[in-house]
Amino acid sequence: MTSRLHIFAVALSLMATAVAGCASNHSADSADADHTLPDTLRVATLYSPTSYFLYRDQEMGYDYSLVSQWAEDMGMTLELTVAPSMPRMLELLDSGLVDVAAYEIPVTAEYRRQVIPCGPEYITTQVLVQPLKQGKAEITDETQLVGKDVYVEKDSKYDFRLNNLNDELGGGIKIHTVSRDTLITEDLISMVSDGTIPLTVVDSDIARINRKYYRDIDATVALSFPQKASWGVAPGNQWLADSINAWFEQENPRKRQAELLKRYFELGKTGDFASADVHRLDLSSGSVSPYDSIFRSVGADTGFDWRLLAAIGFVESGFNNHLVSWAGARGIMQIMPRSATAYGLELSRIEEPRANIATAARIVADLDRSLSRKVPDPAERIKFVLAAYNAGIAHIYDAIALAQKHGKDPTRWDANVEQALLWKANPDFYTDPVCKYGYFGGRHTVAYVHNVTTLTSRIRNRIKQ
């Protein structure tokens, strides 16, 4: 990454598909006889849980994946700029420094003066988040909010909408506001799930993502009119908007879009075992898994306690060597294909238990070496290593920098760097100049570190060597 705009250049350089020359499919070249698509497509986006983020040091996101696929299909090299804010992204578009803004730009009169909407259409509403009781939602209509306690972020659009709704209903909603400095939308959803607060309000797309994590909540009651959003190009580039729209009308892109919707909004972003009760693993036989001999052998080769490696294997996959995650991680230790390739593991062997576990141990060892300067204490460092294994080391570097800047101990995990990692879901923190790798939802990484360390202690107490 270079500068605060974090410019990434992803060399795709692929030949254009036959679709690009098919007039019946309204190809990009036929959209306007005086224009052709550029060799390099310059795209701006923002960090967010849906548009663009890094996971295990790999670029991901619904909008990023779609625009990457379009560039690939059209034979263009993608040059991505991650802007620090919506106004800055639109400035880049207006100045001609980028061609497309691949982000959810509201389709309103205000924004129509700045962009031509095109590409995927997003329709969101503000929705009530409530706990399911015996599998059912108690509130089915907004009028039932009278007399209820609802918690929202102070001075947010949710606060504004809830106060308007309260006026419309003649009063009676008990509105509680919380500081945006300490909590964000995802935190409030979690608090509804665990019973800390009774109700909150969020956007439907955020609720949809978090519904995968919290199966005990309901978010079906709409509290606002639908809001449309889409990508955008600069006024005067209608031909480019037409090219993008023509691509989305084709059968293969529509299928790809459906796959990505499922990947980013429906499939759980943690495995079935990542948040499981680690106390349920049966250790009564004196063994941890069918792969104990491999864990022992690999542990001896790398110098890491085999019981730690086994704990990682359980929390990652439940020892399922055929598990494939939403992000494409595979095998017992959930290794990303890119990591496998980097460590010389052929993708055809990525699910083989010994190869998978041995590669994971090498990754752990390299993370340990990389973090040794920042976290000198080996016992404390293992928590950082686990967090980096789960989230990617880039986000852990960010969390260390944030912890140091804001008065936390950058060499301690619990309540220090752990807290700073959680801050990376808050725009006030992930746009901080010391934070180089943007948005990250750290709640599950924090739980992951806790679960692996807890299970490792259990195994050590039961199995002494």
Side-chain angles (χ1 to χ4, degrees):
M1 297 189 183
T2 61
S3 83
R4 287 187 60 189
L5 294 181
H6 316 317
I7 299 176
F8 296 90
V10 183
L12 301 175
S13 301
L14 300 176
M15 293 182 63
T17 63
V19 169
C22 181
S24 63
N25 282 335
H26 311 288
S27 75
D29 290 335
S30 65
D32 190 308
D34 297 327
H35 296 93
T36 57
L37 290 172
D39 293 331
T40 298
L41 179 69
R42 301 167 304 167
V43 176
T45 191
L46 301 179
Y47 282 118
S48 83
T50 57
S51 290
Y52 180 80
F53 57 91
L54 297 181
Y55 176 70
R56 297 193 175 186
D57 301 326
Q58 187 166 322
E59 294 164 300
M60 291 189 174
Y62 176 68
D63 292 308
Y64 170 75
S65 297
L66 276 177
V67 78
S68 296
Q69 189 67 57
W70 181 55
E72 181 178 335
D73 282 359
M74 296 302 152
M76 296 180 287
T77 296
L78 179 68
E79 182 182 277
L80 186 70
T81 297
V82 185
S85 66
M86 176 84 81
R88 179 55 182 156
M89 181 176 70
L90 297 181
E91 286 176 9
L92 291 170
L93 196 65
D94 180 64
S95 65
L97 294 175
V98 299
D99 306 304
V100 179
Y103 185 76
E104 299 177 35
I105 304 170
V107 180
T108 62
E110 174 190 358
Y111 285 110
R112 277 186 178 274
R113 290 192 290 268
Q114 302 178 70
V115 299
I116 299 174
C118 60
E121 184 178 80
Y122 307 84
I123 299 178
T124 61
T125 59
Q126 292 184 35
V127 295
L128 179 72
V129 178
Q130 61 180 312
L132 292 171
K133 297 184 178 179
Q134 297 181 337
K136 295 182 179 180
E138 286 190 342
I139 298 173
T140 58
D141 184 86
E142 61 187 23
T143 60
Q144 295 172 315
L145 287 176
V146 174
K148 303 294 185 182
D149 294 281
V150 187
Y151 290 73
V152 291
E153 299 167 67
K154 185 178 181 180
D155 298 327
S156 66
K157 61 182 178 181
Y158 313 119
D159 187 6
F160 179 77
R161 173 56 191 148
L162 202 56
N163 276 284
N164 281 346
L165 178 60
N166 193 41
D167 291 340
E168 294 167 14
L169 296 175
I173 302 176
K174 300 175 184 178
I175 303 171
H176 305 268
T177 59
V178 296
S179 171
R180 295 174 64 117
D181 293 334
T182 56
L183 293 171
I184 59 170
T185 301
E186 286 86 345
D187 294 320
L188 294 177
I189 295 173
S190 175
M191 292 169 73
V192 171
S193 176
D194 65 24
T196 304
I197 62 175
L199 303 166
T200 191
V201 180
V202 304
D203 283 330
S204 55
D205 56 346
I206 299 298
R208 185 177 177 185
I209 291 173
N210 282 274
R211 180 69 177 85
K212 300 178 311 226
Y213 302 135
Y214 307 110
R215 299 294 183 180
D216 55 355
I217 63 171
D218 174 84
T220 59
V221 179
L223 301 181
S224 72
F225 291 112
Q227 170 66 63
K228 290 184 179 181
S230 70
W231 295 356
V233 299
N237 285 343
Q238 183 64 54
W239 69 274
L240 182 56
D242 291 342
S243 298
I244 295 171
N245 290 334
W247 182 77
F248 274 97
E249 290 173 2
Q250 298 167 25
E251 182 178 0
N252 286 339
R254 284 201 304 269
K255 289 181 179 178
R256 178 61 174 157
Q257 186 177 12
E259 292 170 358
L260 290 171
L261 281 169
K262 184 174 182 180
R263 177 183 187 184
Y264 287 106
F265 292 94
E266 296 177 19
L267 296 178
K269 290 193 177 182
T270 56
D272 291 337
F273 297 88
S275 58
D277 181 4
V278 294
H279 292 282
R280 72 176 179 81
L281 179 62
D282 185 6
L283 302 175
S284 59
S285 66
S287 65
V288 181
S289 75
Y291 308 104
D292 282 9
S293 61
I294 298 176
F295 283 121
R296 288 177 182 273
S297 173
V298 169
D301 290 342
T302 59
F304 279 95
D305 188 337
W306 74 272
R307 294 164 295 187
L308 170 68
L309 298 176
I312 294 173
F314 176 78
V315 176
E316 286 285 349
S317 70
F319 303 124
N320 180 352
N321 62 312
H322 297 301
L323 184 68
V324 181
S325 78
W326 71 275
R330 306 177 72 91
I332 294 170
M333 308 297 276
Q334 289 291 276
I335 295 176
M336 297 289 283
R338 181 180 294 182
S339 297
T341 299
Y343 279 84
L345 174 60
E346 296 177 5
L347 296 184
S348 61
R349 300 181 58 228
I350 194 170
E351 293 182 6
E352 291 181 11
R354 179 172 290 278
N356 189 277
I357 293 169
T359 301
R362 291 175 60 197
I363 295 172
V364 168
D366 283 346
L367 291 171
D368 186 65
R369 281 189 289 270
S370 296
L371 288 161
S372 60
R373 286 187 178 181
K374 293 185 179 292
V375 189
D377 178 32
E380 185 66 22
R381 188 166 63 245
I382 197 62
K383 297 177 183 178
F384 289 73
V385 170
L386 292 172
Y389 187 89
N390 181 256
I393 198 168
H395 293 305
I396 308 310
Y397 285 147
D398 270 359
I400 290 171
L402 283 170
Q404 187 164 22
K405 179 173 180 176
H406 294 280
K408 299 285 187 179
D409 186 343
T411 68
R412 307 293 297 179
W413 177 256
D414 294 342
N416 286 277
V417 176
E418 170 190 61
Q419 181 61 54
L421 185 64
L422 294 174
W423 290 340
K424 276 175 57 68
N426 188 328
D428 293 339
F429 288 98
Y430 69 68
T431 58
D432 189 299
V434 305
C435 193
K436 301 183 184 301
Y437 301 100
Y439 166 87
F440 184 71
R443 182 174 296 276
H444 295 279
T445 296
V446 168
Y448 176 88
V449 173
H450 173 76
N451 286 341
V452 173
T453 54
T454 298
L455 182 55
T456 301
S457 295
R458 270 198 70 214
I459 298 171
R460 285 172 177 167
N461 289 335
R462 181 74 186 186
I463 304 171
K464 299 303 180 182
Q465 60 181 0

